[in-house]
Amino acid sequence: MASQLAALGAFGLFLLRILGAIRFTRPQLRDTIRQIYVIGARSVPIIAVGGAFVGLVMTLQGYRTLVTFGAGNALGTMLSLTVFRELGPVLTAILFCGRAGSAMAAELGLMRATDQITSLSMMAIDPVGKVVVPRFLAGFISVPLLTAVFIAFSILAGWLQAVYILGVDSGYFWASLQSSVDLYEDYGQAFVKAIVFGAFCALIATHVGYHAKPTPEGTSIATTQAVVYGSLMVLFLDFLLSATLY
């Protein structure tokens, strides 16, 4: 129990150190924009493909269930509420951990193994402000944007499946979707979840990478921890936020 509390405290202190190192100087903003491209923009293909297949599967399975009760025209409601409230932010964050979180942890682990972080300290450059803050801010900003991409492709793929394969009327699909999705309850809270998930995924990835043992084995362990810890934290936070927001 004591070790878990100590680890939790270490994460909290590291977060305070990151927030204290945010300066919004031109070099830091330039590094942040570059990391948004590396972490966020390059994650768009996997997020889009993942969202499309989730939309296809949810539409197919949901239609089979709804038809049993004679409610096939409510397919848009089922798909939209499921994607906006749960699957969109949760699966986006998990895919982000697998693709970008592991990359962040590996980069910082390699910097630790090759003494680049120590060299920055010897040159009186704050390594947290130089290499950690841009990656943390990029993850914090990218996950909500990637969530929007995931949701958009899920809804589009679900509409194509419902209308052109299952034979659902397009007007009923969009009407049920628009009438059931609320700006605050669904749009707003989906992106609240995405913001929280992005902050914690980026914090975990940067923490385990920055504090990795300076060996190749330490880098590989940090990469694994970034994915496993980040994914479990997303699921844990999803339960807390769902219980609070809904």
Side-chain angles (χ1 to χ4, degrees):
M1 186 65 180
S3 60
Q4 284 81 3
L5 291 176
L8 184 62
F11 275 99
L13 293 175
F14 191 67
L15 176 60
L16 293 177
R17 189 176 176 186
I18 291 175
L19 297 177
I22 298 176
R23 295 288 183 267
F24 295 112
T25 59
R26 183 174 297 179
Q28 194 173 80
L29 290 175
R30 183 176 61 249
D31 292 339
T32 301
I33 293 173
R34 179 180 177 275
Q35 289 300 322
I36 290 175
Y37 169 75
V38 173
I39 293 172
R42 290 185 175 178
S43 298
V44 168
I46 188 174
I47 296 296
V49 172
F53 279 110
V54 166
L56 292 173
V57 172
M58 289 299 302
T59 302
L60 182 61
Q61 297 292 347
Y63 182 75
R64 290 177 176 176
T65 303
L66 293 174
V67 166
T68 304
F69 301 98
N73 289 327
L75 185 60
T77 298
M78 184 279 300
L79 178 63
S80 60
L81 294 181
T82 303
V83 171
F84 273 100
R85 293 188 176 186
E86 288 298 327
L87 295 183
V90 171
L91 292 182
T92 299
I94 291 176
L95 289 173
F96 178 84
C97 287
R99 193 271 169 195
S102 60
M104 286 192 289
E107 288 176 352
L108 293 174
L110 286 173
M111 289 182 183
R112 175 69 69 180
T114 55
D115 292 329
Q116 296 181 49
I117 293 177
T118 304
S119 300
L120 289 173
S121 300
M122 294 177 65
M123 292 186 292
I125 299 175
D126 182 14
V128 173
K130 179 63 177 176
V131 300
V132 176
V133 168
R135 288 169 173 80
F136 175 81
L137 293 178
F140 179 77
I141 295 170
S142 297
V143 173
L145 300 177
L146 292 173
T147 299
V149 173
F150 186 99
I151 292 174
F153 275 85
S154 295
I155 298 297
L156 178 60
W159 172 74
L160 292 173
Q161 172 94 334
V163 174
Y164 293 102
I165 298 178
L166 301 177
V168 177
D169 183 76
S170 179
Y172 276 116
F173 181 89
W174 290 117
S176 62
L177 189 150
Q178 292 175 0
S179 63
S180 60
V181 176
D182 182 76
L183 179 62
Y184 171 75
E185 289 291 333
D186 301 303
Y187 283 98
Q189 295 184 19
F191 291 104
V192 168
K193 283 187 175 183
I195 291 171
V196 175
F197 295 163
F200 276 89
C201 289
L203 174 63
I204 291 172
T206 53
H207 180 272
V208 297
Y210 186 83
H211 295 95
K213 293 182 180 180
T215 61
E217 182 183 2
T219 301
S220 65
I221 292 175
T223 304
T224 303
Q225 289 177 338
V227 178
V228 175
Y229 293 169
S231 300
L232 291 177
M233 180 59 70
V234 167
L235 297 176
F236 173 69
L237 291 173
D238 179 56
F239 169 74
L240 292 182
L241 291 174
S242 296
T244 304
L245 298 176
Y246 298 114

